[in-house]
Amino acid sequence: MSNKIIVNDNESIRFNNKVDFCVGTGRLGLALTSEYLDELEFVQREIGFKYIRGHGLFTDDVAIYHEYEEDGVTKVEYNYTYVDRIFDKYIELGIRPFLELGFMPKAMASGTQTIFYWEGNTTPPKDYKLWTDMVVNLLKHLRARYGEEVLTWPIEVWNEPNLPGFWYKADMPEYFKLFKETFLAIKAYDERFQVGGPAICGVNDEEWIRSFLVFCKENNIKPDSVTRHHYTVEFPEYDGQYAYSKLEDAQMRFDNLQSSRDIIDSFEEFKNLPMHITEFNTSYTARGVIHDTNLNAAYIAQQLSRLGDMNESYSYWTFGDVFEEVGVPFTPFHGGFGLVAANCIPKPTFWTFAFYKKLKEVGDKCIYRDDDSIIIKGDKKYAGIVWNIDKDEFLKEFELGSDDKEYVLITKTVDEETCNPLKVWHDLGEPANPDKEEVKIIKDSAFPSIKTDVIKAADGKVDLSLKAGKNAVIYFELKEREFTPDRGYNYEKVLTFH
């Protein structure tokens, strides 16, 4: 019995492909280092994200906020040297800031609680007027430097205030005060800025989102978006500094996102308000070893096929492994969040994003989608992705409509056999500091396998078969073949003439 899937060109399946809308980064101060910029340049060249979101805009390493005494009076001044340097480089690389407002400058903080190796202060301001003045003055500076486009840069107030490590005691009323004061100050300056929150993770998410919207309703505030995060693993098992996690059921996680969408739409005032996933990945730990694997790439392929169903956008955490939440990494493959490992080595998940970006370039008409594949119809071509999440090898067969012409099939395959830099690094002995030759070997192994074939359509259809190995992600294009050989050149004769 054939398992061939008959694909109807006239189908129109909702597919909000925002793969390139935003990507995460470690703290912004890391953008002052060369390796960080090398990785970002590589990511932008191969994928090209529109926005970038990271922590630490107001922490002391970026050095915006300063206090000094003059004639016995405490005064405030702002220093934009580093933020200009960082944002100038972002814009040069074709990416704009998604402004996460946090953490607290130590001189402005009401307490001493910090988070991460780099000690971001996570307490409320000692004076909310100092906070809102700093925020508004930064926006004024950015607007003066970069022009009216700054009005389009999304703004998010804080990060994960529902966790006590990120917001002192996870104090909900205090966070709501922070949001209100920040929102009103920004809108008083220019109401066109887009301000969202509450930027929560999946802990008590329903309670926080509902309570946040009740608060906004009672205070006659209409946020421009609701923001939350999305991670998809069970509580990890730790061994040394590494976290080993099992993936959760994907449908359960999609249902959780839908529950947030439903809560928003249950408020008449906020119905259809955009929801942004400002962080997502599999593991939520910076030493989550799954991040470097082909399994991660396949699982994320399924996520990208459906995250747009209930979200306006979704931002992968993060683009690269220059990242120091739990300290400086010891090895190039350490389970870092990034799409790219040290020395600009793309991980398998990097190609999942590159493949979805290619889909977007082909078109936005989705004509088929299931649990392990998606197909787009473009101008004189089809494009699609097939993935295999931790299953034995399987064959995916499609029947596509076509004129009776020749087509070229192009496939790019990432799987454990063809594109697995983690295995190569392991086989080399897991060097903590690989030399140039080892880096070259690892990097050479980190690119997709590309194959082509010529397929002849018959009776108004063309058959397509794709074999997906365990944890594979396969991108394919099927397009009309234009055969234009040069005079006297005969490919078959080349192969047989001896």
Side-chain angles (χ1 to χ4, degrees):
M1 179 178 177
S2 174
N3 293 317
K4 185 182 297 182
I5 297 166
I6 310 300
V7 179
N8 183 354
D9 281 15
N10 296 319
E11 284 286 347
S12 184
I13 298 168
R14 181 173 179 266
F15 174 47
N16 180 32
N17 187 358
K18 292 295 183 70
V19 64
D20 58 349
F21 182 79
C22 187
V23 72
T25 172
R27 75 177 191 275
L28 296 184
L30 292 170
L32 299 169
T33 66
S34 61
E35 169 78 10
Y36 176 105
L37 294 175
D38 289 345
E39 291 182 9
L40 183 58
E41 181 179 7
F42 175 67
V43 167
Q44 286 300 96
R45 183 171 66 248
E46 297 292 331
I47 301 173
F49 291 95
K50 186 176 182 181
Y51 294 108
I52 186 167
R53 172 192 174 272
H55 307 323
L57 175 60
F58 293 129
T59 48
D60 290 0
D61 63 327
V62 180
I64 290 175
Y65 182 81
H66 297 268
E67 292 183 356
Y68 66 98
E69 277 200 15
E70 187 172 88
D71 300 327
V73 178
T74 300
K75 296 186 176 181
V76 170
E77 61 185 356
Y78 307 112
N79 183 341
Y80 300 122
T81 300
Y82 276 1
V83 78
D84 286 352
R85 191 177 300 173
I86 294 165
F87 288 1
D88 283 358
K89 195 64 181 180
Y90 282 167
I91 290 171
E92 180 184 326
L93 294 175
I95 199 166
R96 267 62 180 169
F98 190 125
L99 296 167
E100 176 204 301
L101 304 182
F103 294 126
M104 200 59 60
K106 288 183 180 178
M108 190 190 293
S110 61
T112 58
Q113 174 178 290
T114 63
I115 195 167
F116 300 142
Y117 164 85
W118 43 274
E119 298 184 346
N121 188 287
T122 55
T123 67
K126 62 187 180 185
D127 183 328
Y128 274 88
K129 183 68 163 53
L130 292 175
W131 167 263
T132 56
D133 282 352
M134 176 181 66
V135 169
V136 170
N137 275 282
L138 174 63
L139 295 179
K140 289 179 178 178
H141 169 77
L142 296 176
R143 200 169 171 184
R145 186 173 184 86
Y146 303 113
E148 295 302 279
E149 76 157 78
V150 174
L151 291 166
T152 68
W153 296 0
I155 298 172
E156 182 178 43
V157 180
W158 212 255
N159 176 76
E160 298 187 351
N162 58 327
L163 295 183
F166 281 102
W167 182 245
Y168 185 61
K169 296 183 178 179
D171 188 327
M172 185 184 290
E174 192 70 31
Y175 172 74
F176 291 168
K177 180 180 180 181
L178 178 77
F179 183 85
K180 177 183 177 181
E181 296 297 326
T182 308
F183 181 90
L184 293 178
I186 293 172
K187 294 293 187 176
Y189 165 51
D190 195 313
E191 63 182 9
R192 290 174 292 176
F193 280 104
Q194 302 292 294
V195 184
I200 59 166
C201 68
V203 176
N204 299 325
D205 51 289
E206 293 188 10
E207 176 189 359
W208 267 80
I209 289 176
R210 190 177 300 280
S211 298
F212 173 70
L213 294 175
V214 167
F215 174 84
C216 290
K217 178 179 178 179
E218 291 175 347
N219 287 270
N220 198 29
I221 291 172
K222 187 171 183 180
D224 296 293
S225 64
V226 172
T227 64
R228 62 159 292 177
H229 298 165
H230 174 64
Y231 291 94
T232 58
V233 293
E234 298 175 1
F235 191 77
E237 172 189 322
Y238 287 92
D239 188 352
Q241 58 182 323
Y242 298 101
Y244 296 82
S245 304
K246 292 183 179 180
L247 289 165
E248 292 182 309
D249 175 68
Q251 186 58 51
M252 180 182 73
R253 300 312 308 165
F254 290 133
D255 290 345
N256 176 250
L257 293 177
Q258 187 60 51
S259 71
S260 296
R261 179 72 264 167
D262 293 342
I263 290 170
I264 298 167
D265 291 341
S266 71
F267 290 80
E268 190 61 35
E269 300 87 349
F270 307 124
K271 192 170 185 178
N272 298 320
L273 199 66
M275 185 165 80
H276 293 278
I277 304 300
T278 52
E279 287 182 24
F280 87 96
N281 205 317
T282 49
S283 173
Y284 49 80
T285 63
R287 297 289 188 273
V289 293
I290 193 173
H291 294 141
D292 300 339
T293 66
N294 291 87
L295 172 59
N296 199 80
Y299 189 91
I300 293 297
Q302 185 185 55
Q303 292 287 306
L304 292 178
S305 75
R306 293 184 56 186
L307 281 177
D309 290 358
M310 68 291 288
N311 303 297
E312 178 65 25
S313 74
Y314 34 91
S315 177
Y316 191 76
W317 187 257
T318 59
F319 80 84
D321 273 357
V322 179
F323 193 89
E324 298 177 359
E325 285 186 358
V326 293
V328 177
F330 282 72
T331 64
F333 291 94
H334 56 272
F337 287 112
L339 295 171
V340 179
N343 298 295
C344 288
I345 297 170
K347 302 180 190 179
T349 306
F350 175 94
W351 298 110
T352 299
F353 277 79
F355 293 167
Y356 270 90
K357 181 61 180 280
K358 288 289 291 180
L359 281 192
K360 189 169 184 178
E361 292 169 355
V362 169
D364 58 5
K365 184 183 179 184
C366 179
I367 58 174
Y368 184 78
R369 182 177 64 174
D370 62 20
D371 285 343
D372 50 36
S373 62
I374 188 166
I375 300 177
I376 302 296
K377 179 74 166 66
D379 182 24
K380 296 183 179 181
K381 70 168 65 173
Y382 297 92
I385 301 173
V386 174
W387 55 89
N388 177 354
I389 304 174
D390 206 28
K391 294 185 290 190
D392 292 336
E393 181 180 82
F394 62 75
L395 186 67
K396 198 82 176 183
E397 296 181 290
F398 302 102
E399 180 184 291
L400 303 169
S402 73
D403 297 325
D404 290 344
K405 297 179 179 179
E406 278 191 340
Y407 290 80
V408 59
L409 172 65
I410 304 167
T411 61
K412 299 180 180 181
T413 301
V414 172
D415 62 21
E416 293 181 345
E417 299 299 321
T418 64
C419 180
N420 190 349
L422 175 64
K423 179 182 183 298
V424 174
W425 173 73
H426 167 73
D427 290 348
L428 289 171
E430 300 185 8
N433 305 102
D435 60 29
K436 288 183 179 180
E437 179 60 24
E438 289 171 325
V439 168
K440 185 177 187 306
I441 291 169
I442 298 167
K443 186 176 288 189
D444 286 349
S445 77
F447 289 78
S449 169
I450 298 176
K451 293 184 178 180
T452 60
D453 200 2
V454 176
I455 300 176
K456 293 185 178 181
D459 300 324
K461 61 185 180 182
V462 60
D463 291 333
L464 174 64
S465 297
L466 297 168
K467 190 177 291 185
K470 186 176 180 180
N471 298 324
V473 182
I474 303 171
Y475 173 82
F476 70 86
E477 280 190 18
L478 187 71
K479 59 183 181 179
E480 291 185 18
R481 181 174 184 247
E482 295 183 11
F483 188 54
T484 56
D486 195 16
R487 179 172 58 86
Y489 190 86
N490 185 316
Y491 178 74
E492 298 301 328
K493 189 173 180 180
V494 169
L495 300 183
T496 58
F497 189 81
H498 301 293

